[in-house]
Coordinates of all heavy atoms in Angstrom, one line a residue:
M1 N 132.4 154.6 93.4 CA 133.2 154.2 94.5 C 132.8 155.0 95.6 O 132.5 156.2 95.6 CB 134.6 154.4 94.2 CG 135.1 153.5 93.0 SD 136.8 153.8 92.7 CE 137.4 152.3 93.4
G2 N 132.8 154.5 96.9 CA 132.4 155.2 98.1 C 133.7 155.6 98.8 O 134.7 155.0 98.9
G3 N 133.5 156.9 99.4 CA 134.6 157.4 100.3 C 135.6 158.3 99.5 O 135.9 158.0 98.5
L4 N 135.9 159.4 100.4 CA 136.9 160.3 99.8 C 138.1 160.4 100.7 O 138.0 160.3 102.0 CB 136.3 161.7 99.8 CG 135.0 161.9 99.0 CD1 134.4 163.3 99.1 CD2 135.3 161.6 97.4
G5 N 139.3 160.5 100.1 CA 140.5 160.6 100.9 C 141.6 159.6 100.3 O 141.3 158.7 99.6
D6 N 142.8 159.7 100.7 CA 143.8 158.8 100.3 C 144.1 157.8 101.2 O 144.9 156.8 100.9 CB 145.2 159.6 100.0 CG 145.0 160.6 98.9 OD1 144.2 160.3 98.0 OD2 145.5 161.7 98.9
D7 N 143.7 157.9 102.6 CA 144.0 156.9 103.5 C 142.7 156.0 103.8 O 141.7 156.6 104.3 CB 144.5 157.5 104.9 CG 145.0 156.6 105.9 OD1 144.7 155.4 105.9 OD2 145.6 157.1 106.8
E8 N 142.7 154.7 103.6 CA 141.6 153.9 103.9 C 141.0 153.9 105.3 O 139.9 153.8 105.5 CB 141.9 152.4 103.6 CG 141.8 152.1 102.1 CD 141.9 150.6 101.9 OE1 141.3 149.8 102.6 OE2 142.6 150.2 100.9
D9 N 142.0 154.3 106.2 CA 141.5 154.3 107.7 C 140.9 155.7 107.9 O 140.2 155.8 109.0 CB 142.7 154.2 108.6 CG 143.2 152.7 108.5 OD1 142.5 151.8 108.2 OD2 144.6 152.6 108.6
E10 N 141.0 156.6 107.0 CA 140.5 158.1 107.4 C 139.5 158.5 106.2 O 139.4 159.7 106.0 CB 141.6 159.1 107.6 CG 142.4 158.6 108.9 CD 143.4 159.7 109.0 OE1 143.4 160.8 108.6 OE2 144.5 159.4 109.9
L11 N 138.9 157.7 105.5 CA 138.0 158.0 104.5 C 136.7 158.7 105.1 O 136.3 158.3 106.1 CB 137.5 156.8 103.6 CG 138.5 156.1 102.7 CD1 138.0 154.9 102.1 CD2 139.0 157.1 101.7
V12 N 136.3 159.7 104.4 CA 135.0 160.3 104.8 C 133.9 159.9 103.8 O 134.2 159.7 102.6 CB 135.2 162.0 104.8 CG1 136.2 162.3 105.9 CG2 135.6 162.4 103.5
P13 N 132.7 160.0 104.2 CA 131.6 159.6 103.3 C 131.6 160.5 102.1 O 131.8 161.7 102.2 CB 130.4 159.8 104.1 CG 130.7 159.6 105.6 CD 132.2 160.2 105.5
G14 N 131.5 159.9 100.9 CA 131.3 160.7 99.7 C 131.4 159.7 98.5 O 131.5 158.5 98.6
A15 N 131.3 160.3 97.3 CA 131.3 159.5 96.1 C 132.3 160.1 95.1 O 132.4 161.3 95.0 CB 129.9 159.6 95.5
R16 N 132.8 159.2 94.4 CA 133.7 159.5 93.2 C 133.0 159.0 92.0 O 132.6 157.8 92.0 CB 135.1 158.9 93.4 CG 135.8 159.5 94.6 CD 137.1 158.9 94.9 NE 138.0 159.0 93.7 CZ 139.1 158.2 93.4 NH1 139.3 157.2 94.2 NH2 139.8 158.5 92.4
V17 N 132.8 159.8 91.0 CA 132.2 159.4 89.7 C 133.1 159.4 88.6 O 133.9 160.2 88.3 CB 131.0 160.4 89.4 CG1 130.2 160.0 88.1 CG2 130.1 160.6 90.6
F18 N 133.1 158.2 87.9 CA 134.0 157.9 86.8 C 133.2 157.8 85.5 O 132.1 157.1 85.5 CB 134.8 156.5 87.0 CG 135.7 156.7 88.2 CD1 135.4 156.5 89.5 CD2 137.0 157.2 88.0 CE1 136.1 156.7 90.5 CE2 138.0 157.3 89.0 CZ 137.5 157.0 90.3
D19 N 133.7 158.2 84.4 CA 133.1 158.0 83.1 C 133.8 156.8 82.4 O 134.9 157.0 81.9 CB 133.1 159.3 82.3 CG 132.5 159.1 80.9 OD1 132.2 158.0 80.5 OD2 132.1 160.2 80.3
L20 N 133.2 155.6 82.4 CA 133.9 154.5 81.8 C 134.1 154.6 80.3 O 134.9 153.9 79.8 CB 133.0 153.2 82.2 CG 132.9 152.9 83.7 CD1 132.1 151.7 83.8 CD2 134.3 152.9 84.3
G21 N 133.3 155.5 79.6 CA 133.5 155.7 78.2 C 134.5 156.7 77.8 O 134.8 157.0 76.6
R22 N 135.1 157.4 78.8 CA 136.1 158.4 78.6 C 137.6 158.0 78.7 O 138.2 158.4 79.6 CB 135.9 159.6 79.4 CG 135.0 160.6 78.9 CD 135.3 162.0 79.6 NE 134.0 162.7 79.8 CZ 134.0 163.8 80.5 NH1 135.0 164.1 81.3 NH2 133.0 164.5 80.6
R23 N 138.0 157.2 77.8 CA 139.5 156.8 77.8 C 140.3 157.4 76.7 O 141.4 157.3 76.6 CB 139.6 155.2 77.7 CG 139.0 154.6 78.9 CD 139.4 153.1 78.9 NE 138.8 152.5 80.1 CZ 139.0 151.3 80.3 NH1 139.7 150.6 79.6 NH2 138.5 150.8 81.4
G24 N 139.6 158.1 75.7 CA 140.2 158.8 74.7 C 140.5 157.9 73.5 O 140.4 156.6 73.7
P25 N 140.6 158.4 72.3 CA 140.8 157.7 71.1 C 142.1 156.8 71.2 O 143.1 157.3 71.6 CB 140.8 158.7 70.0 CG 141.1 160.0 70.7 CD 140.7 159.9 72.1
G26 N 142.0 155.5 70.8 CA 143.1 154.7 70.7 C 143.6 154.2 72.1 O 144.7 153.6 72.1
A27 N 142.9 154.5 73.2 CA 143.3 154.0 74.5 C 143.1 152.5 74.7 O 142.2 151.9 74.1 CB 142.4 154.7 75.5
T28 N 143.9 151.9 75.4 CA 143.8 150.5 75.6 C 143.0 150.3 77.0 O 142.6 151.2 77.6 CB 145.3 149.9 75.9 OG1 145.8 150.5 77.1 CG2 146.2 150.2 74.8
E29 N 142.8 149.0 77.3 CA 141.9 148.6 78.3 C 142.6 149.1 79.7 O 142.0 149.3 80.7 CB 141.7 147.1 78.5 CG 140.6 146.6 77.5 CD 140.1 145.3 77.8 OE1 140.2 144.8 78.9 OE2 139.7 144.7 76.8
D30 N 143.9 149.2 79.7 CA 144.7 149.6 80.8 C 144.7 151.1 81.0 O 145.3 151.6 82.0 CB 146.1 149.1 80.8 CG 146.2 147.6 80.7 OD1 145.3 147.0 81.3 OD2 147.1 147.0 80.2
A31 N 144.2 151.9 80.1 CA 144.2 153.3 80.2 C 143.4 153.7 81.4 O 142.4 153.2 81.7 CB 143.6 153.9 78.9
E32 N 143.8 154.8 82.1 CA 143.2 155.4 83.2 C 141.8 155.8 82.8 O 141.5 156.4 81.8 CB 143.9 156.6 83.8 CG 143.4 157.0 85.1 CD 144.3 158.0 85.7 OE1 145.7 157.7 85.7 OE2 143.8 158.9 86.4
I33 N 140.8 155.5 83.6 CA 139.4 155.9 83.4 C 139.2 157.3 84.0 O 139.8 157.6 85.2 CB 138.5 154.9 84.1 CG1 138.6 153.5 83.5 CG2 137.0 155.4 84.0 CD1 137.9 152.5 84.3
A34 N 138.5 158.2 83.4 CA 138.4 159.6 83.8 C 137.4 159.7 85.0 O 136.4 159.2 84.9 CB 137.9 160.5 82.6
E35 N 138.0 160.4 86.0 CA 137.0 160.8 87.1 C 136.4 162.1 86.7 O 137.1 163.0 86.4 CB 137.9 160.9 88.4 CG 137.0 161.3 89.6 CD 137.8 161.3 90.9 OE1 138.9 160.7 91.0 OE2 137.4 161.9 91.8
V36 N 135.1 162.2 86.8 CA 134.4 163.4 86.4 C 133.8 164.2 87.5 O 133.5 165.3 87.3 CB 133.3 163.1 85.3 CG1 134.0 162.5 84.0 CG2 132.3 162.1 85.9
A37 N 133.7 163.6 88.7 CA 133.2 164.4 89.9 C 133.6 163.6 91.1 O 133.8 162.4 91.0 CB 131.6 164.5 89.7
A38 N 133.6 164.3 92.2 CA 133.7 163.8 93.5 C 133.1 164.9 94.5 O 133.2 166.0 94.4 CB 135.2 163.7 93.9
F39 N 132.3 164.3 95.4 CA 131.6 165.1 96.3 C 131.2 164.4 97.6 O 131.2 163.2 97.7 CB 130.2 165.6 95.8 CG 129.3 164.6 95.2 CD1 128.3 164.1 96.0 CD2 129.4 164.1 93.9 CE1 127.4 163.1 95.6 CE2 128.6 163.1 93.5 CZ 127.6 162.6 94.3
G40 N 131.2 165.1 98.7 CA 131.0 164.6 100.1 C 129.5 164.2 100.3 O 128.7 164.9 99.7
G41 N 129.3 163.3 101.2 CA 127.9 163.1 101.7 C 127.4 161.7 101.7 O 127.0 161.1 102.6
P42 N 127.3 161.2 100.4 CA 126.6 159.8 100.3 C 127.5 158.7 101.0 O 128.8 158.8 101.1 CB 126.8 159.5 98.8 CG 127.0 160.8 98.1 CD 127.6 161.7 99.1
D43 N 126.7 157.7 101.6 CA 127.4 156.7 102.4 C 126.6 155.5 102.2 O 125.5 155.4 101.8 CB 127.4 157.2 103.9 CG 128.3 156.2 104.7 OD1 129.2 155.6 104.2 OD2 128.2 156.3 106.0
G44 N 127.3 154.4 102.5 CA 126.6 153.1 102.4 C 126.7 152.5 101.1 O 127.6 152.7 100.3
R45 N 125.7 151.7 100.7 CA 125.7 151.0 99.4 C 125.2 151.9 98.3 O 124.1 152.6 98.5 CB 124.8 149.8 99.5 CG 124.9 148.9 98.5 CD 124.2 147.5 98.9 NE 124.4 146.6 97.7 CZ 124.4 145.3 97.8 NH1 124.3 144.7 99.0 NH2 124.6 144.6 96.8
F46 N 125.8 151.9 97.1 CA 125.4 152.8 96.0 C 124.6 152.1 94.9 O 125.0 151.0 94.7 CB 126.6 153.5 95.4 CG 127.4 154.5 96.3 CD1 128.4 155.1 95.8 CD2 126.8 154.9 97.6 CE1 129.2 156.1 96.6 CE2 127.5 155.8 98.3 CZ 128.6 156.4 97.8
F47 N 123.7 152.7 94.4 CA 123.0 152.2 93.1 C 122.8 153.5 92.3 O 122.6 154.5 92.7 CB 121.6 151.7 93.5 CG 121.5 150.7 94.5 CD1 121.4 151.1 95.9 CD2 121.6 149.4 94.3 CE1 121.3 150.1 96.9 CE2 121.7 148.4 95.3 CZ 121.5 148.8 96.6
A48 N 123.0 153.2 90.9 CA 122.7 154.3 89.9 C 121.6 154.0 89.0 O 121.5 152.8 88.6 CB 124.1 154.5 89.2
A49 N 120.8 154.9 88.6 CA 119.8 154.7 87.8 C 119.3 156.1 87.3 O 119.2 157.1 88.0 CB 118.6 154.0 88.4
D50 N 118.8 156.2 86.0 CA 118.3 157.4 85.3 C 119.2 158.6 85.7 O 118.6 159.6 85.9 CB 116.9 157.5 85.9 CG 116.0 156.3 85.6 OD1 116.0 155.9 84.5 OD2 115.3 155.9 86.5
G51 N 120.4 158.5 85.7 CA 121.3 159.7 85.9 C 121.4 160.1 87.3 O 122.0 161.2 87.6
L52 N 120.8 159.4 88.3 CA 120.9 159.7 89.6 C 121.7 158.7 90.4 O 121.9 157.6 90.0 CB 119.5 159.8 90.3 CG 118.5 160.8 89.6 CD1 117.1 160.6 90.2 CD2 119.1 162.2 89.8
L53 N 122.2 159.1 91.7 CA 123.0 158.2 92.5 C 122.0 158.0 93.8 O 121.6 158.9 94.4 CB 124.2 158.9 92.9 CG 125.0 158.0 94.0 CD1 125.6 156.8 93.3 CD2 126.1 158.9 94.6
F54 N 121.9 156.7 94.1 CA 121.0 156.4 95.2 C 122.0 155.8 96.3 O 122.8 154.9 96.0 CB 120.0 155.3 94.9 CG 119.0 155.8 93.9 CD1 119.3 155.8 92.6 CD2 117.8 156.3 94.4 CE1 118.3 156.2 91.6 CE2 116.9 156.8 93.4 CZ 117.2 156.8 92.1
S55 N 122.0 156.2 97.6 CA 122.9 155.6 98.6 C 122.0 155.1 99.7 O 121.1 155.8 100.2 CB 124.0 156.7 99.0 OG 123.3 157.7 99.8
S56 N 122.3 153.9 100.1 CA 121.6 153.3 101.2 C 122.4 153.2 102.4 O 123.4 152.4 102.4 CB 121.1 151.9 100.8 OG 120.4 151.2 101.8
S57 N 122.0 153.8 103.5 CA 122.8 153.8 104.7 C 121.9 153.5 105.9 O 120.7 153.3 105.7 CB 123.5 155.2 104.8 OG 122.6 156.2 105.1
E58 N 122.3 153.6 107.1 CA 121.6 153.4 108.3 C 120.4 154.2 108.4 O 119.3 153.7 108.9 CB 122.5 153.6 109.6 CG 123.4 152.4 109.8 CD 122.7 151.0 110.0 OE1 121.7 150.9 110.6 OE2 123.1 150.1 109.3
S59 N 120.5 155.5 108.0 CA 119.3 156.4 108.1 C 118.2 156.2 107.1 O 117.1 156.5 107.2 CB 119.8 157.8 108.0 OG 120.5 158.2 106.8
G60 N 118.6 155.6 105.9 CA 117.6 155.3 104.9 C 118.3 155.5 103.5 O 119.5 155.5 103.3
L61 N 117.4 155.7 102.5 CA 117.7 156.0 101.1 C 117.9 157.5 100.9 O 117.0 158.2 101.2 CB 116.8 155.4 100.2 CG 117.1 155.5 98.7 CD1 118.2 154.6 98.3 CD2 115.9 155.1 97.9
E62 N 119.0 157.9 100.2 CA 119.3 159.2 99.9 C 119.4 159.2 98.4 O 120.0 158.3 97.8 CB 120.5 159.8 100.5 CG 120.4 160.0 102.0 CD 121.6 160.6 102.5 OE1 122.7 160.6 101.9 OE2 121.6 161.0 103.7
I63 N 118.9 160.3 97.7 CA 118.9 160.4 96.2 C 119.7 161.6 95.9 O 119.5 162.7 96.5 CB 117.6 160.5 95.7 CG1 116.6 159.4 96.1 CG2 117.6 160.7 94.1 CD1 115.2 159.5 95.9
W64 N 120.7 161.4 95.2 CA 121.7 162.5 94.8 C 121.9 162.8 93.3 O 121.6 161.9 92.5 CB 123.1 162.0 95.3 CG 123.3 161.8 96.7 CD1 123.0 160.8 97.5 CD2 123.9 162.7 97.6 NE1 123.2 161.0 98.8 CE2 123.8 162.3 98.9 CE3 124.4 164.0 97.5 CZ2 124.2 162.9 100.1 CZ3 124.9 164.6 98.7 CH2 124.8 164.1 100.0
D65 N 122.1 164.0 93.0 CA 122.4 164.5 91.6 C 123.9 164.4 91.6 O 124.6 165.3 92.2 CB 121.9 165.8 91.5 CG 122.3 166.4 90.1 OD1 123.2 165.8 89.4 OD2 121.6 167.3 89.6
P66 N 124.5 163.5 90.8 CA 126.0 163.3 90.8 C 126.6 164.4 90.0 O 127.9 164.6 90.2 CB 126.1 161.9 90.1 CG 124.9 161.7 89.4 CD 123.8 162.4 90.1
T67 N 126.0 165.1 89.1 CA 126.6 166.1 88.4 C 126.7 167.4 89.4 O 127.7 168.1 89.3 CB 125.5 166.6 87.3 OG1 125.2 165.4 86.5 CG2 126.2 167.6 86.4
E68 N 125.7 167.7 90.2 CA 125.8 168.9 91.1 C 126.4 168.5 92.4 O 126.8 169.4 93.2 CB 124.5 169.5 91.3 CG 123.8 170.0 89.9 CD 124.6 171.2 89.4 OE1 125.1 172.0 90.2 OE2 124.7 171.2 88.1
G69 N 126.3 167.2 92.8 CA 126.8 166.8 94.1 C 125.7 167.2 95.1 O 126.1 167.4 96.3
A70 N 124.5 167.3 94.8 CA 123.5 167.8 95.7 C 122.5 166.7 96.1 O 122.1 165.8 95.2 CB 122.7 168.9 95.0
R71 N 122.2 166.6 97.4 CA 121.1 165.6 97.8 C 119.9 166.1 97.4 O 119.4 167.3 97.8 CB 121.3 165.5 99.3 CG 120.3 164.3 99.8 CD 120.6 163.9 101.1 NE 120.2 165.0 102.1 CZ 120.2 165.0 103.3 NH1 120.9 164.0 104.0 NH2 119.9 166.0 104.0
L72 N 119.0 165.3 96.8 CA 117.7 165.6 96.3 C 116.6 165.3 97.1 O 115.6 166.0 97.2 CB 117.5 165.1 94.9 CG 118.5 165.5 93.8 CD1 118.2 164.7 92.5 CD2 118.5 167.0 93.6
A73 N 116.7 164.1 97.8 CA 115.6 163.6 98.7 C 116.2 162.6 99.5 O 117.2 161.9 99.4 CB 114.6 163.0 97.8
V74 N 115.4 162.2 100.6 CA 115.6 161.2 101.6 C 114.4 160.4 101.8 O 113.3 161.0 102.0 CB 116.2 161.8 102.9 CG1 116.4 160.6 104.0 CG2 117.4 162.6 102.7
I75 N 114.6 159.0 101.9 CA 113.4 158.3 102.2 C 113.9 157.5 103.5 O 114.5 156.5 103.4 CB 113.0 157.2 101.1 CG1 112.7 158.0 99.8 CG2 111.8 156.3 101.5 CD1 112.5 157.1 98.6
A76 N 113.5 158.1 104.6 CA 113.8 157.5 105.9 C 113.4 156.2 106.2 O 112.2 155.8 105.8 CB 113.4 158.5 107.0
G77 N 114.3 155.2 106.7 CA 113.9 154.0 107.1 C 113.9 152.9 105.9 O 113.7 151.8 106.2
F78 N 114.0 153.4 104.6 CA 114.1 152.5 103.5 C 115.6 152.3 103.2 O 116.3 153.1 102.8 CB 113.4 153.0 102.4 CG 113.3 152.1 101.1 CD1 112.8 150.8 101.2 CD2 113.9 152.5 100.0 CE1 112.8 150.0 100.1 CE2 114.0 151.6 98.8 CZ 113.3 150.4 98.9
R79 N 116.0 151.0 103.4 CA 117.4 150.7 103.2 C 117.5 149.5 102.1 O 117.5 148.3 102.6 CB 118.0 150.2 104.4 CG 118.1 151.3 105.5 CD 118.5 150.7 106.8 NE 118.1 151.6 107.9 CZ 117.0 151.6 108.5 NH1 116.1 150.8 108.3 NH2 116.8 152.7 109.4
P80 N 117.4 149.8 100.8 CA 117.5 148.8 99.8 C 118.9 148.0 99.8 O 119.9 148.6 100.1 CB 117.3 149.6 98.5 CG 117.6 151.0 98.8 CD 117.4 151.2 100.2
T81 N 118.8 146.8 99.5 CA 119.9 146.0 99.4 C 120.2 145.4 98.0 O 121.2 144.9 97.7 CB 119.8 144.8 100.4 OG1 118.6 144.0 100.0 CG2 119.7 145.1 101.9
H82 N 119.2 145.6 97.0 CA 119.3 145.1 95.7 C 118.8 146.2 94.8 O 117.8 147.0 95.1 CB 118.6 143.8 95.5 CG 119.1 142.7 96.4 ND1 118.8 142.6 97.7 CD2 120.0 141.7 96.0 CE1 119.5 141.5 98.1 NE2 120.2 141.0 97.2
H83 N 119.3 146.1 93.6 CA 118.8 147.1 92.5 C 118.4 146.1 91.2 O 119.2 145.4 90.8 CB 119.9 148.0 92.1 CG 119.6 149.0 91.0 ND1 120.5 149.4 90.0 CD2 118.5 149.5 90.6 CE1 119.9 150.1 89.1 NE2 118.6 150.2 89.5
D84 N 117.2 146.3 90.8 CA 116.8 145.5 89.7 C 116.6 146.5 88.6 O 115.6 147.2 88.4 CB 115.4 144.8 89.9 CG 115.0 144.0 88.7 OD1 115.5 144.2 87.7 OD2 114.0 143.1 88.9
P85 N 117.7 146.7 87.7 CA 117.6 147.7 86.6 C 116.6 147.5 85.6 O 116.0 148.3 85.0 CB 119.0 147.8 86.1 CG 119.7 146.6 86.7 CD 118.9 146.0 87.8
A86 N 116.3 146.2 85.4 CA 115.3 145.7 84.3 C 113.9 146.3 84.8 O 113.2 146.7 83.8 CB 115.3 144.3 84.1
R87 N 113.6 146.2 86.0 CA 112.3 146.7 86.5 C 112.3 148.1 87.0 O 111.2 148.6 87.3 CB 111.7 145.7 87.6 CG 111.4 144.3 87.0 CD 110.9 143.5 88.1 NE 109.7 144.0 88.8 CZ 108.5 143.8 88.4 NH1 108.3 143.1 87.4 NH2 107.5 144.3 89.1
G88 N 113.5 148.6 87.1 CA 113.6 150.0 87.7 C 113.2 150.1 89.1 O 112.6 151.0 89.5
E89 N 113.7 149.1 89.9 CA 113.3 149.1 91.3 C 114.6 148.9 92.2 O 115.5 148.3 91.9 CB 112.3 147.8 91.5 CG 111.0 147.9 90.9 CD 110.2 146.8 91.3 OE1 110.7 145.7 91.5 OE2 108.9 146.9 91.3
L90 N 114.4 149.5 93.5 CA 115.3 149.2 94.5 C 114.5 148.4 95.4 O 113.3 148.6 95.7 CB 115.7 150.6 95.2 CG 116.6 151.5 94.2 CD1 116.8 152.8 95.0 CD2 117.9 150.9 93.8
I91 N 115.1 147.3 96.0 CA 114.4 146.3 96.8 C 115.1 146.2 98.2 O 116.3 146.1 98.3 CB 114.5 145.0 96.0 CG1 113.9 145.1 94.7 CG2 113.8 143.9 96.9 CD1 114.2 144.0 93.7
E92 N 114.3 146.2 99.2 CA 114.8 146.0 100.6 C 114.2 144.6 101.1 O 113.0 144.5 101.1 CB 114.2 147.1 101.5 CG 114.7 146.8 103.0 CD 114.0 147.8 103.9 OE1 112.8 148.1 103.8 OE2 114.8 148.4 104.6
L93 N 115.1 143.7 101.4 CA 114.8 142.4 101.9 C 115.2 142.4 103.3 O 116.3 142.6 103.7 CB 115.4 141.3 101.1 CG 115.1 139.9 101.6 CD1 113.6 139.6 101.5 CD2 115.9 138.9 100.7
S94 N 114.2 142.2 104.2 CA 114.5 142.2 105.6 C 113.7 141.1 106.4 O 112.9 140.4 105.8 CB 114.1 143.5 106.3 OG 112.7 143.8 106.4
A95 N 113.9 140.9 107.7 CA 113.2 139.8 108.4 C 111.7 140.1 108.4 O 110.9 139.3 108.6 CB 113.7 139.8 109.8
T96 N 111.2 141.4 108.2 CA 109.8 141.7 108.2 C 109.2 141.5 106.8 O 108.0 141.7 106.8 CB 109.6 143.0 108.8 OG1 110.3 144.1 108.0 CG2 110.0 143.1 110.2
G97 N 110.0 141.4 105.8 CA 109.3 141.2 104.4 C 110.1 141.9 103.3 O 111.3 142.3 103.5
L98 N 109.6 142.1 102.2 CA 110.0 142.7 101.0 C 109.4 144.1 100.8 O 108.2 144.2 100.8 CB 109.9 141.8 99.9 CG 110.4 142.3 98.6 CD1 111.9 142.0 98.4 CD2 109.7 141.5 97.4
R99 N 110.2 145.1 100.6 CA 109.7 146.4 100.1 C 110.4 146.8 98.9 O 111.5 146.6 98.7 CB 109.9 147.5 101.2 CG 109.2 147.1 102.5 CD 109.1 148.3 103.4 NE 110.3 149.0 103.7 CZ 110.4 150.3 104.3 NH1 109.2 150.8 104.7 NH2 111.6 150.8 104.4
R100 N 109.6 147.4 97.9 CA 110.1 147.8 96.6 C 109.9 149.4 96.5 O 108.8 149.8 96.9 CB 109.4 147.0 95.6 CG 109.6 145.7 95.7 CD 108.9 144.7 94.7 NE 107.9 145.5 93.9 CZ 107.0 144.8 93.1 NH1 107.0 143.6 93.0 NH2 106.1 145.6 92.3
W101 N 110.7 150.0 95.8 CA 110.6 151.5 95.4 C 111.1 151.6 94.0 O 112.2 151.2 93.6 CB 111.4 152.2 96.4 CG 111.1 153.7 96.3 CD1 110.1 154.4 96.7 CD2 112.1 154.6 95.6 NE1 110.2 155.8 96.3 CE2 111.4 155.9 95.6 CE3 113.2 154.5 94.8 CZ2 112.0 157.1 95.0 CZ3 113.8 155.6 94.3 CH2 113.2 156.9 94.4
M102 N 110.2 152.2 93.2 CA 110.6 152.5 91.8 C 111.4 153.7 91.7 O 111.1 154.7 92.2 CB 109.3 152.5 90.9 CG 108.7 151.2 90.8 SD 107.2 151.2 89.7 CE 108.0 150.9 88.2
T103 N 112.5 153.6 90.9 CA 113.3 154.8 90.6 C 112.5 155.9 89.8 O 111.4 155.5 89.2 CB 114.6 154.4 89.8 OG1 114.3 153.9 88.6 CG2 115.4 153.6 90.7
A104 N 112.8 157.1 89.8 CA 112.1 158.2 89.2 C 111.5 157.9 87.8 O 110.4 158.3 87.6 CB 113.0 159.4 89.3
R105 N 112.3 157.4 87.0 CA 111.8 157.3 85.5 C 111.6 156.0 85.1 O 111.5 155.7 83.9 CB 112.9 157.9 84.6 CG 113.2 159.4 84.8 CD 114.1 160.0 83.9 NE 114.5 161.3 84.3 CZ 115.7 161.7 84.3 NH1 116.7 161.1 83.7 NH2 116.0 162.9 84.8
A106 N 111.3 155.0 86.0 CA 111.1 153.6 85.7 C 109.6 153.5 85.0 O 108.7 154.3 85.3 CB 111.0 152.7 86.9
T107 N 109.6 152.7 84.1 CA 108.3 152.5 83.3 C 107.8 151.1 83.5 O 106.7 150.8 82.9 CB 108.5 152.7 81.8 OG1 109.5 151.8 81.3 CG2 108.9 154.2 81.5
A108 N 108.6 150.2 84.2 CA 108.0 148.8 84.3 C 107.0 148.7 85.4 O 106.8 149.5 86.2 CB 109.2 148.0 84.8

């Protein structure tokens, strides 16, 4: 999920990370999902692959380590709009054409 804060009108850029598998033994579907991290910085559309968080914003693609909350890299000008997890690619479709970028550990 994107944005940090309790007021939708005053959210600051950031990410909240949830572990969908951590509901505890005997938990029902309605049980609260565990939030495992929250950190400021990422903005725009999020994609996750290979244990990393990718955020696509006006400035370009940013690659984040969600465990440490650290930005690892920036690819200026590349703004992916789609994630193809089967091929391990982030895809940017624009008026000038199609650009693809493979995530770090993709083998396709």
